[in-house]
């Protein structure tokens, strides 16, 4: 599989993902873009266990795992309830996405899909709600705290990205779940 191109144990032991590691993964992905479920889990495990990573890591992880979940797991091109559960379980098992990389992966998978369950759209929008109401989550990580109940510019950007991505095959209406989060 893809993950055999790098030493997961070595990377975890040093606690950092280097540019060379990302280059090896990108090369392996370019040669054979087939990703196995264990590869996807190993990549997420690396992300979780390495607090230090090269700037090339987040876009690589997002690209590879978006390709996996949207285009390599049936039904191809769609996020059904099983794929939505996979994303929620790995990106925000307690209902809260931890980290910008995982939020980027969630929005990327939604954007690339032709259809997304309302529950997954609501889960993504709930991350913005948490940021605004609780001041928590990836939208607030590393930023100067906003006053309570203030919708910052980056919150609006996230909302637009998620809502636009959830339009899918020509849908233009906002779902009841999306309305609840917006209110």
């Amino acid at each position: 599989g893809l993950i055999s191109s790098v030493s997961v144990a070595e990377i975890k032991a040093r606690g950092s993902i280097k540019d060379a590691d990302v280059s090896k993964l990108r090369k392996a992905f370019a040669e054979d873009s087939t990703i196995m479920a264990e590869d996807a889990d190993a990549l997420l495990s690396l992300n979780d266990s390495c607090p230090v990573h090269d700037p090339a890591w987040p876009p690589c992880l997002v690209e590879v795992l978006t390709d996996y979940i949207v285009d390599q797991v049936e039904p191809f091109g769609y996020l059904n309830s099983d794929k939505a559960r996979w994303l929620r379980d790995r990106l925000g098992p307690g209902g809260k996405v931890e980290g910008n990389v995982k939020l980027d992966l969630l929005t990327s998978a939604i954007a690339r899909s032709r259809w997304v369950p309302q529950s997954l759209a609501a889960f993504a929008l709930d991350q913005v709600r948490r940021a605004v109401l609780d001041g928590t989550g990836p939208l607030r990580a590393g930023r100067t705290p906003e006053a309570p109940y203030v919708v910052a510019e980056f919150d609006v950007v996230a909302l637009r990205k998620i809502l636009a991505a959830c339009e899918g095959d020509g849908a233009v209406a906002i779902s009841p779940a999306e309305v609840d989060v917006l209110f």
Side-chain angles (χ1 to χ4, degrees):
L2 174 73
I3 205 68
S4 64
S5 65
V6 295
S7 172
V8 173
E10 179 186 318
I11 295 170
K12 283 184 176 183
R14 72 173 178 251
S16 67
I17 302 169
K18 296 180 178 181
D19 180 50
D21 302 320
V22 177
S23 294
K24 286 177 186 175
L25 283 169
R26 282 205 178 275
K27 183 179 180 203
F29 185 65
E31 291 172 1
D32 180 8
S33 63
T34 304
I35 301 165
M36 307 304 291
E38 49 276 359
D39 292 334
D41 286 333
L43 290 171
L44 286 168
S45 175
L46 276 178
N47 186 67
D48 292 344
S49 58
C50 294
V52 177
H53 53 259
D54 186 84
W57 172 249
C60 177
L61 181 69
V62 169
E63 175 188 346
V64 168
L65 292 185
T66 298
D67 190 74
Y68 166 72
I69 195 64
V70 176
D71 297 326
Q72 295 187 32
V73 176
E74 290 188 30
F76 307 121
Y78 296 87
L79 291 178
N80 63 5
S81 61
D82 290 337
K83 290 180 178 186
R85 185 174 24 267
W86 186 91
L87 283 164
R88 281 192 308 271
D89 289 351
R90 282 155 181 84
L91 304 182
K96 180 179 171 185
V97 173
E98 295 292 339
N100 286 315
V101 177
K102 289 183 176 183
L103 185 61
D104 289 348
L105 173 55
L106 177 62
T107 56
S108 175
I110 289 171
R112 173 117 41 110
S113 298
R114 287 178 268 177
W115 184 84
V116 177
Q118 286 185 7
S119 63
L120 189 62
F123 174 73
L125 290 170
D126 192 54
Q127 305 313 305
V128 180
R129 183 198 61 78
R130 287 175 184 272
V132 173
L133 299 182
D134 306 338
T136 62
L139 288 171
R140 291 297 184 264
R143 298 188 195 278
T144 304
E146 298 290 329
Y149 304 103
V150 171
V151 179
E153 184 176 343
F154 47 84
D155 298 324
V156 174
V157 170
L159 284 169
R160 281 185 183 148
K161 188 174 180 181
I162 294 165
L163 290 172
C166 291
E167 287 178 358
D169 285 329
V172 291
I174 294 177
S175 74
E178 292 165 346
V179 169
D180 287 344
V181 171
L182 292 173
F183 277 114

